[in-house]
Amino acid sequence: MSADRIETAAEAMEAEALPHAHVVHTDPDAKSTEDEPLPKSVTAKPQKAKSPAEWAYQRMVLYIKNFEEQLDDQHEIAMAFAGDASGVMRIEGMGYFDPDIITFYGTDPTGARTQLVQHVSQLSVMLRALPKGVAKEAPRRIGFRLVDDLDAQITVRSEPQKGS
């Protein structure tokens, strides 16, 4: 806000309700999650009304989607367990359990099914690009499905309930 503009009470309340983010890169043209406009599915419900799990889940969805948008057709998203020697998991699903649990579903490099259940206060994930499976025709993208799911949740919440 410039010094010569007076903010209305409504504008101040809206600015307070919206999440704030900031990023700086060595490459000024780098595409960053923090610089992208937030989808309606993230802003429809006030941040303060969300559980820590829901809020962490929504932001992870945005980071995953942004990371996948920068991958070529030969790579898929995976995550390494930051601060842990457990290895790498190809991300195939993600969820949350209120009030404070985030869950990642996937497979490790050997194809074994894996699941990470993590408390939001311990959330520390390194996103990685792994070569896609040899037998797969196209890389599988979870980020776009996650964003579609967020949008579908908004549609369901905004529709009138039967009997109302």
Side-chain angles (χ1 to χ4, degrees):
M1 183 175 93
S2 67
D4 60 343
R5 185 174 176 278
I6 297 175
E7 193 173 58
T8 67
E11 290 171 329
M13 288 175 60
E14 181 180 337
E16 181 63 30
L18 293 175
H20 302 281
H22 181 73
V23 66
V24 176
H25 278 278
T26 56
D27 176 359
D29 297 323
K31 186 173 182 287
S32 301
T33 302
E34 296 87 353
D35 291 332
E36 295 295 313
L38 293 173
K40 184 178 179 184
S41 54
V42 173
T43 61
K45 184 177 179 182
Q47 177 184 345
K48 292 178 181 177
K50 298 175 187 178
S51 72
E54 181 180 10
W55 184 223
Y57 172 85
Q58 288 180 341
R59 287 177 289 158
M60 281 301 308
V61 167
L62 300 177
Y63 280 105
I64 288 170
K65 181 179 177 287
N66 180 62
F67 190 86
E68 282 187 333
E69 286 173 344
Q70 298 175 59
L71 296 178
D72 60 27
D73 286 344
Q74 300 304 309
H75 291 86
E76 294 178 328
I77 193 167
M79 60 185 268
F81 304 107
D84 189 334
S86 299
V88 175
M89 177 195 326
R90 190 175 309 273
I91 302 172
E92 297 171 355
M94 191 173 91
Y96 70 93
F97 201 123
D98 281 338
D100 54 9
I101 299 293
I102 300 288
T103 307
F104 294 91
Y105 300 88
T107 53
D108 71 11
T110 69
R113 286 182 49 184
T114 56
Q115 180 178 353
L116 171 66
V117 178
Q118 187 140 31
H119 190 274
V120 293
S121 67
Q122 299 296 311
L123 189 60
S124 181
V125 174
M126 180 188 307
L127 300 178
R128 293 189 50 188
L130 287 184
K132 69 177 184 166
V134 178
K136 297 178 187 171
E137 292 179 18
R140 296 185 301 171
R141 302 287 188 231
I142 185 69
F144 300 100
R145 293 186 62 148
L146 291 168
V147 170
D148 288 346
D149 180 67
L150 283 178
D151 291 340
Q153 289 177 33
I154 290 303
T155 303
V156 169
R157 282 190 209 141
S158 63
E159 291 177 356
Q161 300 298 316
K162 291 182 180 179
S164 10

